[in-house]
Amino acid sequence: MLETKIGSNFLNLFYHEIQNHEVHDSSSKLNLFTLKIENNQFTYHQLVKNLTHCIVPFCLSNKELEEFKNNYGIYVMAVEKLRDYESNDGELGEILLFCLLESNLNAPKIMTKMELKTSTNDYVKGSDGVHLLKLDEQNYQLIFGESKLNADLQKGLYEAFKSINDFITRKNNNINHEIGLINTHLQREGVSDEMYKFLKKIIIPSATDEEINKDNAFGIFVGFDLKLDPELTKLSNLEFRTKVRQQIKETVQNEIKYIQKKIKDYKLFGYTFYVYTIPFINLDETRKRVIKNLKVAQNDF
């Protein structure tokens, strides 16, 4: 079985404010992670520090990781695949979704968009990565990633579910096309014949083989902008931390019914959604700054 590259210690960066909240009338779960707060600020410095260890397995395939594991330039090789930070409006969300699916859900990556976007223009219309979740010895989920960064949380959720519904229902470059790409990708991954046969058995199971059941699921990440009253920064550290964490939690809880509505609107009851949310201060500026720091291997937060 594939192994995750991001350990559970990644989660030490966050307060886990909402843990696997079950969404009514579905098998979906909602999680809210809030970056740790020190001195009335989010600890972006620690986030960048940890992401420097995550960016290599995010950007590179398992084959590349093995081939270049002792190469000093492996980090440069990885970050060269990132877009320029000035025009980079989504990759931070893709990176964080990858980290959360691996560290929180224990679902190892099969591939990310980074691995194929240079070889096929069609793939960039697909998911933001694919992970495999083992439920038990017979049951697995193929998890397709969808990440959005939007100042407004509800708009981000709207965009995510709309994109997923389109991915499922459109005639070309849809979920079935992507499953075919996964199969082709695995053949290039350099996995053993035994591992390839095992993974193919899961990804494209035979109806005559009742030992393996596979269903498709979605991992959703929405990063949103947190609007804070400037007067809050004048509070004591304890008061600030308490009030801000509560404001964030209430903001996300208020959207649970909206998640239910979108599942109902698109008739997506047969799919499991693992929804992750993280708030940011000055989202647009912060996402660019984080990517810039990763690309040049610095940390100016």
Side-chain angles (χ1 to χ4, degrees), residues 73-256:
I74 192 170
Y75 184 85
V76 175
M77 186 186 308
V79 297
E80 282 180 343
K81 295 192 177 188
L82 297 173
R83 296 191 298 273
D84 180 78
Y85 71 93
E86 288 290 354
S87 60
N88 197 323
D89 58 356
E91 281 181 347
L92 177 58
E94 296 169 17
I95 296 166
L96 288 170
L97 178 58
F98 159 74
C99 292
L100 291 170
L101 289 175
E102 291 228 343
S103 63
N104 175 255
L105 198 58
N106 197 33
K109 177 192 82 168
I110 293 179
M111 68 179 186
T112 63
K113 181 187 292 185
M114 308 301 295
E115 297 168 39
L116 289 178
K117 69 177 184 178
T118 55
S119 61
T120 168
N121 291 329
D122 286 339
Y123 181 72
V124 298
K125 302 173 186 175
S127 68
D128 291 332
V130 186
H131 292 245
L132 183 65
L133 178 62
K134 179 180 179 180
L135 301 176
D136 56 44
E137 293 300 327
Q138 287 184 281
N139 296 286
Y140 295 81
Q141 287 180 338
L142 203 55
I143 301 177
F144 296 87
E146 183 64 40
S147 64
K148 298 295 180 184
L149 297 176
N150 194 301
D152 184 83
L153 174 58
Q154 187 173 113
K155 288 182 180 178
L157 289 167
Y158 166 81
E159 291 172 352
F161 278 100
K162 184 177 185 299
S163 180
I164 288 169
N165 182 64
D166 185 46
F167 183 49
I168 293 172
T169 58
R170 66 192 177 212
K171 292 182 178 180
N172 299 310
N173 302 311
N174 56 31
I175 189 170
N176 295 315
H177 173 252
E178 188 139 325
I179 291 172
L181 280 177
I182 296 168
N183 183 42
T184 302
H185 174 74
L186 285 173
Q187 292 177 306
R188 297 200 303 260
E189 268 287 270
V191 297
S192 66
D193 289 342
E194 183 180 1
M195 177 62 76
Y196 172 70
K197 290 177 182 177
F198 173 71
L199 291 174
K200 184 175 181 179
K201 190 176 181 180
I202 295 172
I203 294 167
I204 309 177
S206 169
T208 60
D209 184 359
E210 297 185 2
E211 293 181 3
I212 297 294
N213 298 302
K214 183 272 295 182
D215 292 290
N216 299 320
F218 291 89
I220 295 176
F221 174 84
V222 179
F224 63 97
D225 220 341
L226 179 65
K227 304 297 184 183
L228 289 182
D229 183 341
E231 292 297 309
L232 286 176
T233 61
K234 301 176 183 179
L235 297 175
S236 70
N237 297 149
L238 177 59
E239 289 177 308
F240 179 88
R241 192 175 290 114
T242 301
K243 286 183 177 294
V244 169
R245 289 179 64 181
Q246 184 60 34
Q247 177 183 332
I248 294 167
K249 188 173 182 178
E250 289 175 359
T251 298
V252 175
Q253 286 175 327
N254 288 339
E255 300 303 333
I256 293 174

Side-chain angles (χ1 to χ4, degrees), residues 12-13 35-36 38 43-51 299 301:
N12 294 338
L13 290 168
L35 194 61
K36 285 193 302 181
E38 292 181 1
T43 53
Y44 289 122
H45 182 87
Q46 293 183 29
L47 177 64
V48 171
K49 182 179 179 180
N50 278 265
L51 288 181
N299 195 343
F301 279 96

Side-chain angles (χ1 to χ4, degrees), residues 16-51:
H16 199 171
E17 307 286 25
I18 299 176
Q19 301 187 33
N20 295 321
H21 180 91
E22 295 186 1
V23 179
H24 186 62
D25 287 337
S26 77
S27 56
S28 302
K29 296 178 180 179
L30 170 67
N31 283 270
L32 163 62
F33 288 93
T34 298
L35 194 61
K36 285 193 302 181
I37 297 171
E38 292 181 1
N39 304 107
N40 297 5
Q41 298 179 42
F42 286 140
T43 53
Y44 289 122
H45 182 87
Q46 293 183 29
L47 177 64
V48 171
K49 182 179 179 180
N50 278 265
L51 288 181

